[in-house]
Amino acid sequence: MSSSTAIIGHSAGGHLALLVGILTPEASLIIVIAAIADLEKYARGNNSCQPETAEFMG
């Protein structure tokens, strides 16, 4: 029987799950909920956090 690894995250944890998932060859499943997967697109938004994204990310 083979084993599998699932990586799951929500919000900022979802962003981290995406990053870890692409660096973990044994990951067979990555589940993200409300992750910011496209920072450039997110930074163009206008909610209370979005305009600060570029400065925060450096």
Side-chain angles (χ1 to χ4, degrees):
M1 177 158 67
S2 66
S3 65
S4 59
T5 300
I7 300 170
I8 304 169
H10 174 260
S11 191
H15 181 75
L16 294 173
L18 288 171
L19 292 172
V20 170
I22 63 171
L23 299 173
T24 307
E26 60 274 4
S28 57
L29 179 66
I30 303 168
I31 299 173
V32 296
I33 303 167
I36 300 169
D38 185 338
L39 286 173
E40 290 180 4
K41 183 177 178 182
Y42 179 80
R44 292 191 297 266
N46 60 6
N47 75 20
S48 63
C49 296
Q50 290 169 311
E52 306 301 324
T53 304
E55 183 178 346
F56 178 75
M57 295 303 291

